[in-house]
Amino acid sequence: MRLISKHASSFLGQTLVVENKPGAGGQIGWTALAKSRPDGYSIGATSLPSMVIIKAMRPETPFALDDFKYICNIQIDPIVWLVKSDSRFKTANDFVIQASDPQKKINVAGDGPQSNVQLQHLAAAKVLGLSTNYVSFNGSGPAITALLGGQVEIAAATLSAAMSNIEAGKIKALVVFNDEPLSAIPDVPTASKLFGKPIPSVGMAVRGLAAPKGIPDDKLAKLEAAFRKVSESKAFLDEAKEMGIVVKFMGSAQTEAHVKESTKEVEALKDLLK
């Protein structure tokens, strides 16, 4: 969001100020956004499926997914399985063979509990018949630190959190949970193609912007157009690439459709998180 704000002023005609609203996995920020005036000046960052998971697991949460009008999506951040560069697991299939034995119970580090990363790992484990012990950390960064420190042999994490260590040769990605190969990691196979089974990319973080419902159509259109231009600008794309950010712009209608699809996927798999 800070990278977006850096480049947005020339397209919005005014400064975009980022205000942190931390806590409860995003619940506090999204609740504040839902209760804001729909005047086009109060907008917020979205992260799917995290906000969907929060609502599915905590129905009493004081915001609803239809409290928002989704402006756009800008970034996708797929989940990857990671190992140290000298790991005994040379391929994802090496890990799957070992993890298929319920007697082994390999520890897997990742965000959690009840995070998008955990949901992705558990969804893949269900399809592949794996028996692992998921160890929750406070974010992908700490999970990767545990991997580098030898506390675990494998970690599940967002690609953006892993890129610097991948590029430094300290860790490697065995597989990416995305429907298509990524130019950022061209040699890493996609899960469904590698395993020959449909594995949903249910945990992939999809990040963008939303406004409170009730925003006038003309203001929504202006915001959507401005952020589309941001996502297409060379300066933004160059910095995003340096940060390991995979840019994928979706307009308002496409983002609204993705929210509905993400909700269906999470509802079908949420029992894995209980």
Side-chain angles (χ1 to χ4, degrees):
M1 284 308 305
R2 295 192 182 280
L3 178 60
I4 291 168
S5 70
K6 176 180 175 181
H7 294 275
S9 59
S10 59
F11 300 107
L12 282 172
Q14 55 189 286
T15 302
L16 180 64
V17 179
V18 178
E19 180 183 0
N20 289 337
K21 293 282 189 181
Q27 177 179 320
I28 292 174
W30 291 316
T31 299
L33 177 62
K35 297 181 183 303
S36 298
R37 292 177 60 188
D39 55 9
Y41 290 92
S42 294
I43 60 178
T46 56
S47 185
L48 301 164
S50 294
M51 57 200 307
V52 178
I53 292 172
I54 287 174
K55 195 62 188 176
M57 304 306 292
R58 311 176 206 157
E60 72 283 358
T61 299
F63 72 81
L65 295 172
D66 59 4
D67 282 340
F68 311 106
K69 189 66 178 177
Y70 298 89
I71 299 167
C72 64
N73 178 73
I74 294 180
Q75 176 197 14
I76 61 170
D77 200 359
I79 310 304
V80 287
W81 275 343
L82 303 164
V83 294
K84 290 178 68 174
S85 56
D86 60 354
S87 172
R88 64 183 173 123
F89 301 132
K90 304 305 180 186
T91 68
N93 279 317
D94 290 342
F95 165 64
V96 167
I97 291 171
Q98 292 293 314
S100 297
D101 183 349
Q103 302 300 317
K104 298 290 178 65
K105 275 287 185 183
I106 296 173
N107 291 332
V108 179
D111 294 27
Q114 298 184 345
S115 66
N116 60 309
V117 176
Q118 184 182 26
L119 182 61
Q120 181 65 73
H121 175 74
L122 295 178
K126 179 181 179 181
V127 173
L128 298 171
L130 308 185
S131 179
T132 60
N133 181 34
Y134 188 88
V135 184
S136 294
F137 287 81
N138 186 26
S140 286
I144 292 170
T145 298
L147 174 67
L148 290 169
Q151 294 174 255
V152 293
E153 285 193 275
I154 189 164
T158 56
L159 176 61
S160 64
M163 275 304 296
S164 61
N165 282 299
I166 291 174
E167 291 173 342
K170 296 179 179 179
I171 59 177
K172 64 179 180 179
L174 298 179
V175 66
V176 58
F177 294 97
N178 189 47
D179 295 337
E180 299 175 353
L182 297 175
S183 59
I185 45 171
D187 298 328
V188 179
T190 62
S192 294
K193 183 174 182 179
L194 177 65
F195 299 122
K197 298 179 180 181
I199 299 177
S201 303
V202 63
M204 180 174 68
V206 177
R207 304 188 181 111
L209 292 150
K213 67 179 179 181
I215 181 175
D217 290 344
D218 61 331
K219 294 185 176 183
L220 176 68
K222 183 173 182 178
L223 289 167
E224 180 184 356
F227 289 116
R228 182 186 293 276
K229 290 176 181 177
V230 171
S231 73
E232 294 172 348
S233 69
K234 184 178 184 303
F236 171 78
L237 289 170
D238 287 347
E239 286 197 62
K241 184 177 181 180
E242 288 181 9
M243 295 171 65
I245 294 172
V246 180
V247 176
K248 181 177 181 179
F249 186 87
M250 303 178 197
S252 179
Q254 188 179 2
T255 304
E256 293 271 1
H258 180 79
V259 172
K260 293 177 181 176
E261 182 61 28
S262 180
T263 301
K264 290 180 183 177
E265 290 182 334
V266 170
E267 284 293 329
L269 295 168
K270 68 180 182 181
D271 285 350
L272 295 176
L273 295 172
K274 293 181 178 178

